[in-house]
Amino acid sequence: QGQLVESGGGLVQAGDSLRLTCAASGTSFSHYTMGWFRQPPGKEREFVAAVNWSGLNTYYSPTVKGRFTISRDNAKNTIYLQMDSLKPEDTAVYYCAADPNERKWQLISHSNYKYLELWGQGTLVTVST
């Protein structure tokens, strides 16, 4: 069984940048689509971004598109989320997830995200005004 470990969270000011890392271990993730979700305080978990196994297909939530960039390094079994122009509303626990079925990611919603195969424990990002 694989494992996902997030890192890179912290406290930043509005307008700053931050890069999150998700390191995968225990199996080869080179054929997995992997991505990020976030859960703001008191709210439901929401999709942020995903990248397919080759890195050629990326998916973004409209709320982060143009500000966040997802990428992956299959040699390191790692994905990244570069977050620029951060806003206070980006404050959340950010979770990494992985599933080999890219179609699941294309159809992701608040009702089916929990069926993705693997999840990390999360890393907290706090954006102050």
Side-chain angles (χ1 to χ4, degrees):
Q1 184 72 8
Q3 184 179 13
L4 304 175
V5 178
E6 303 95 335
S7 62
L11 173 63
V12 296
Q13 291 187 329
D16 285 351
S17 297
L18 204 59
R19 189 176 82 157
L20 303 183
T21 298
C22 172
S25 62
T27 188
S28 173
F29 286 82
S30 60
H31 62 292
Y32 276 67
T33 294
M34 298 179 68
W36 295 91
F37 287 75
R38 67 186 183 186
Q39 188 162 10
K43 296 185 179 180
E44 288 190 2
R45 196 168 299 190
E46 61 186 23
F47 170 74
V48 175
V51 57
N52 79 330
W53 67 272
S54 68
L56 293 179
N57 293 343
T58 55
Y59 308 91
Y60 293 95
S61 163
T63 59
V64 307
K65 193 170 186 178
R67 299 188 298 123
F68 292 9
T69 304
I70 191 169
S71 61
R72 68 187 296 157
D73 184 339
N74 284 341
K76 296 181 178 179
N77 260 1
T78 299
I79 67 168
Y80 307 95
L81 185 68
Q82 177 67 39
M83 304 186 294
D84 298 320
S85 303
L86 282 162
K87 305 175 182 180
E89 51 264 43
D90 294 319
T91 294
V93 177
Y94 283 71
Y95 296 92
C96 179
D99 194 287
N101 188 342
E102 186 176 352
R103 190 63 176 157
K104 280 187 183 179
W105 291 90
Q106 293 170 341
L107 299 174
I108 206 74
S109 72
H110 70 277
S111 62
N112 65 15
Y113 72 86
K114 56 181 65 76
Y115 299 109
L116 295 175
E117 184 174 304
L118 281 170
W119 288 89
Q121 294 300 307
T123 184
L124 176 62
V125 173
T126 303
V127 185
S128 65
T129 55

